[in-house]
Amino acid sequence: MPVELFPRPQVRESSLPAPEGWIELPSPGGFCDTFGPVHATRDGAGQFAVGFRCAERHLNPSRYCHGAALAAFTDMQAYGVQHLVGYAAAVVPTISMNIDFLSIVHLGDWVRGDIEVTRKTRNLVFAQMRCSVGDRPVMNARALFKVMAMDALADTTYFDRIGPEIERRFARIGR
């Protein structure tokens, strides 16, 4: 019987919940289901943060959060960009993203991404994301997103439902 040199680790998910005041964002499916769940919070008008708990599936061989997982999370912050600019048009696709990795993320860490829309034109949205674990900065990113008319999308089902569903979920927790 052959010896497995690289046995697959047992998949362990963090049993730690999202912090109080966070809602789980509805997933559009696909890769987002593999990565997620992704959560959101807001502290007032014009503020939106996205977060995730670093789980086993996010780790690299050194047992830290993989840079590709952090990059994917940064791209998923488009959820927040979309919510901040509204749902009259779709903020897709990502055109450009620059990421600065600042610190290691460990299994079980809660990663918070604060989002700021720095500029919006008819066709583009510029955003800045600052990610941290507690008070420790772990990543900064700048992104440029294309703004597309809803009727240009093949399927608007997700966009038609996401805004009202996020508002319902925030209302349930009084945010």
Side-chain angles (χ1 to χ4, degrees), residues 22-28 32-33 36-41 48-51 73 76-80 83 87 115 158 162 165-167 169-170:
W22 290 76
I23 61 164
E24 185 173 329
L25 287 171
S27 174
C32 295
D33 283 348
V38 176
H39 295 77
T41 193
F48 201 91
V50 178
F73 171 65
M76 288 178 193
Q77 290 180 60
Y79 285 124
H83 202 72
Y87 294 91
I115 304 159
Y158 180 74
I162 183 83
E165 180 58 26
I166 287 173
E167 290 305 323
R169 292 180 185 194
F170 276 134

Coordinates of all heavy atoms in Angstrom, one line a residue, residues 22-28 32-33 36-41 48-51 73 76-80 83 87 115 158 162 165-167 169-170:
W22 N -22.6 42.1 12.9 CA -22.3 41.8 11.5 C -23.4 40.8 10.9 O -23.9 40.0 11.7 CB -20.9 41.0 11.4 CG -19.8 41.9 11.7 CD1 -19.4 42.3 13.0 CD2 -18.8 42.4 10.8 NE1 -18.2 43.1 12.8 CE2 -17.9 43.2 11.5 CE3 -18.7 42.3 9.4 CZ2 -16.8 43.8 10.9 CZ3 -17.7 43.0 8.8 CH2 -16.7 43.7 9.5
I23 N -23.7 41.0 9.7 CA -24.6 40.2 9.0 C -23.9 39.3 7.9 O -22.9 39.7 7.4 CB -25.8 41.0 8.2 CG1 -25.1 41.9 7.2 CG2 -26.6 41.7 9.3 CD1 -26.1 42.4 6.2
E24 N -24.4 38.1 7.7 CA -23.8 37.3 6.6 C -24.4 37.9 5.3 O -25.6 38.1 5.1 CB -24.2 35.9 6.7 CG -23.5 35.0 5.7 CD -23.7 33.5 5.9 OE1 -23.8 33.1 7.1 OE2 -23.7 32.8 4.9
L25 N -23.5 38.2 4.3 CA -24.0 38.6 3.0 C -24.5 37.5 2.2 O -23.9 36.4 2.2 CB -22.8 39.3 2.3 CG -22.4 40.7 2.8 CD1 -21.1 41.1 2.1 CD2 -23.4 41.7 2.6
P26 N -25.6 37.7 1.4 CA -26.1 36.7 0.5 C -25.0 36.4 -0.5 O -24.5 37.3 -1.1 CB -27.3 37.3 -0.1 CG -27.7 38.5 0.8 CD -26.4 38.9 1.4
S27 N -24.8 35.1 -0.8 CA -23.8 34.8 -1.7 C -24.4 34.6 -3.1 O -25.5 34.1 -3.3 CB -23.1 33.4 -1.4 OG -22.3 33.0 -2.4
P28 N -23.7 35.1 -4.2 CA -24.1 34.9 -5.5 C -23.9 33.5 -6.0 O -24.2 33.2 -7.2 CB -23.4 36.0 -6.3 CG -22.1 36.1 -5.6 CD -22.4 35.9 -4.1
C32 N -17.7 32.3 -4.7 CA -18.0 33.0 -3.4 C -18.5 32.0 -2.4 O -18.2 32.1 -1.2 CB -19.1 34.1 -3.6 SG -18.5 35.4 -4.7
D33 N -19.2 30.9 -2.8 CA -19.6 29.9 -1.8 C -18.4 29.1 -1.3 O -18.4 28.7 -0.2 CB -20.6 28.9 -2.5 CG -22.0 29.5 -2.7 OD1 -22.3 30.5 -2.0 OD2 -22.8 28.8 -3.4
G36 N -16.6 31.8 1.1 CA -17.4 32.4 2.2 C -17.5 31.5 3.4 O -16.9 30.5 3.6
P37 N -18.3 32.0 4.4 CA -19.2 33.2 4.2 C -18.4 34.5 4.4 O -17.4 34.6 5.1 CB -20.2 33.0 5.3 CG -19.5 32.2 6.4 CD -18.5 31.4 5.6
V38 N -19.0 35.5 3.8 CA -18.5 36.9 3.9 C -19.6 37.7 4.7 O -20.8 37.5 4.4 CB -18.2 37.5 2.6 CG1 -17.7 39.0 2.7 CG2 -17.1 36.7 1.9
H39 N -19.2 38.6 5.6 CA -20.1 39.3 6.4 C -19.9 40.8 6.2 O -19.0 41.2 5.6 CB -19.9 39.0 7.9 CG -20.1 37.6 8.2 ND1 -19.3 36.6 7.9 CD2 -21.2 37.0 8.8 CE1 -19.8 35.4 8.4 NE2 -21.0 35.7 8.9
A40 N -20.9 41.6 6.7 CA -20.8 43.0 6.5 C -21.4 43.7 7.8 O -22.2 43.1 8.5 CB -21.7 43.5 5.3
T41 N -20.9 44.9 8.0 CA -21.4 45.8 9.1 C -21.4 47.2 8.6 O -20.7 47.5 7.6 CB -20.6 45.6 10.4 OG1 -21.3 46.2 11.4 CG2 -19.2 46.2 10.3
F48 N -19.4 51.2 5.4 CA -19.6 49.8 5.1 C -18.3 49.0 5.3 O -17.3 49.5 4.8 CB -20.2 49.6 3.7 CG -20.9 48.3 3.4 CD1 -22.3 48.3 3.6 CD2 -20.3 47.2 3.0 CE1 -23.1 47.1 3.4 CE2 -21.0 46.0 2.8 CZ -22.4 46.0 2.9
A49 N -18.3 47.9 6.0 CA -17.1 47.1 6.1 C -17.5 45.7 5.8 O -18.7 45.2 6.1 CB -16.6 47.2 7.6
V50 N -16.6 44.9 5.3 CA -16.8 43.5 5.0 C -15.8 42.7 5.8 O -14.7 43.2 6.0 CB -16.6 43.3 3.4 CG1 -16.8 41.9 3.1 CG2 -17.6 44.2 2.7
G51 N -16.2 41.5 6.2 CA -15.3 40.7 7.0 C -15.4 39.2 6.8 O -16.4 38.8 6.2
F73 N -10.6 38.1 -1.1 CA -11.4 38.8 -0.1 C -11.5 40.3 -0.5 O -12.5 40.9 -0.5 CB -10.9 38.6 1.3 CG -11.6 39.6 2.3 CD1 -12.9 39.4 2.6 CD2 -10.8 40.5 2.9 CE1 -13.5 40.3 3.5 CE2 -11.4 41.4 3.8 CZ -12.8 41.3 4.1
M76 N -13.9 40.7 -3.2 CA -15.2 40.6 -2.7 C -15.7 41.8 -2.0 O -16.9 42.0 -1.7 CB -15.3 39.3 -1.8 CG -15.2 38.1 -2.5 SD -15.3 36.7 -1.4 CE -14.8 35.4 -2.5
Q77 N -14.8 42.7 -1.6 CA -15.2 44.0 -1.0 C -16.0 44.8 -2.0 O -16.6 45.8 -1.6 CB -14.0 44.7 -0.4 CG -13.5 44.0 0.8 CD -12.3 44.7 1.4 OE1 -12.4 45.8 1.8 NE2 -11.2 44.0 1.5
A78 N -16.1 44.4 -3.3 CA -17.0 45.0 -4.2 C -18.4 44.9 -3.8 O -19.2 45.8 -4.1 CB -16.8 44.3 -5.6
Y79 N -18.8 44.0 -2.9 CA -20.1 43.9 -2.3 C -20.4 45.3 -1.6 O -21.4 45.9 -1.8 CB -20.1 42.9 -1.1 CG -20.2 41.4 -1.5 CD1 -19.3 40.6 -1.0 CD2 -21.3 40.9 -2.2 CE1 -19.4 39.2 -1.2 CE2 -21.4 39.5 -2.5 CZ -20.4 38.7 -2.0 OH -20.5 37.4 -2.2
G80 N -19.4 45.7 -0.8 CA -19.6 47.0 -0.1 C -19.5 48.2 -1.0 O -20.3 49.1 -0.8
H83 N -22.9 48.4 -2.5 CA -23.9 48.9 -1.6 C -23.7 50.4 -1.4 O -24.7 51.1 -1.2 CB -23.8 48.1 -0.3 CG -25.1 48.2 0.5 ND1 -26.2 47.5 0.1 CD2 -25.4 48.8 1.6 CE1 -27.2 47.8 1.0 NE2 -26.7 48.5 1.9
Y87 N -27.8 50.6 -6.3 CA -28.0 49.4 -7.2 C -28.6 49.9 -8.6 O -29.2 49.1 -9.3 CB -28.9 48.4 -6.5 CG -28.2 47.8 -5.4 CD1 -28.3 48.3 -4.1 CD2 -27.4 46.7 -5.6 CE1 -27.6 47.7 -3.1 CE2 -26.7 46.1 -4.5 CZ -26.8 46.6 -3.3 OH -26.1 46.1 -2.2
I115 N -14.1 50.0 3.7 CA -14.2 50.4 2.3 C -14.5 51.9 2.2 O -15.4 52.4 2.9 CB -15.3 49.6 1.6 CG1 -15.1 48.1 1.8 CG2 -15.4 50.0 0.1 CD1 -16.3 47.3 1.6
Y158 N -29.4 38.5 -9.0 CA -28.6 38.8 -7.8 C -28.7 40.3 -7.4 O -29.0 40.6 -6.3 CB -27.2 38.3 -8.0 CG -26.4 38.6 -6.7 CD1 -26.5 37.8 -5.6 CD2 -25.4 39.6 -6.7 CE1 -25.8 38.0 -4.4 CE2 -24.7 39.9 -5.5 CZ -24.9 39.1 -4.4 OH -24.1 39.3 -3.3
I162 N -30.1 41.7 -3.9 CA -29.1 41.9 -2.9 C -29.3 43.1 -2.0 O -29.3 43.0 -0.8 CB -27.7 41.9 -3.5 CG1 -26.6 42.0 -2.4 CG2 -27.5 43.0 -4.5 CD1 -26.2 40.7 -1.7
E165 N -32.2 42.7 0.4 CA -31.9 41.6 1.4 C -30.9 42.1 2.4 O -31.1 41.8 3.6 CB -31.4 40.4 0.7 CG -31.1 39.2 1.6 CD -32.3 38.8 2.5 OE1 -33.5 38.9 2.1 OE2 -32.0 38.2 3.6
I166 N -29.9 42.8 2.0 CA -28.9 43.4 3.0 C -29.6 44.3 3.9 O -29.4 44.3 5.1 CB -27.8 44.1 2.2 CG1 -26.9 43.1 1.6 CG2 -27.0 45.0 3.2 CD1 -25.8 43.7 0.7
E167 N -30.5 45.2 3.4 CA -31.3 46.1 4.3 C -32.1 45.3 5.3 O -32.2 45.7 6.5 CB -32.1 47.1 3.5 CG -31.3 48.1 2.7 CD -30.3 48.9 3.6 OE1 -30.7 49.2 4.7 OE2 -29.2 49.2 3.1
R169 N -31.5 42.3 6.5 CA -30.6 41.7 7.5 C -30.1 42.7 8.5 O -30.0 42.5 9.7 CB -29.5 41.0 6.8 CG -30.0 39.7 6.1 CD -28.9 39.0 5.3 NE -29.5 37.9 4.6 CZ -28.8 36.9 4.1 NH1 -27.5 36.8 4.2 NH2 -29.4 35.9 3.4
F170 N -29.8 43.9 8.0 CA -29.3 45.0 8.9 C -30.5 45.4 9.8 O -30.3 45.7 11.0 CB -28.8 46.2 8.2 CG -27.3 46.1 7.8 CD1 -26.9 46.4 6.5 CD2 -26.4 45.6 8.6 CE1 -25.6 46.3 6.1 CE2 -25.0 45.6 8.3 CZ -24.7 45.9 7.0

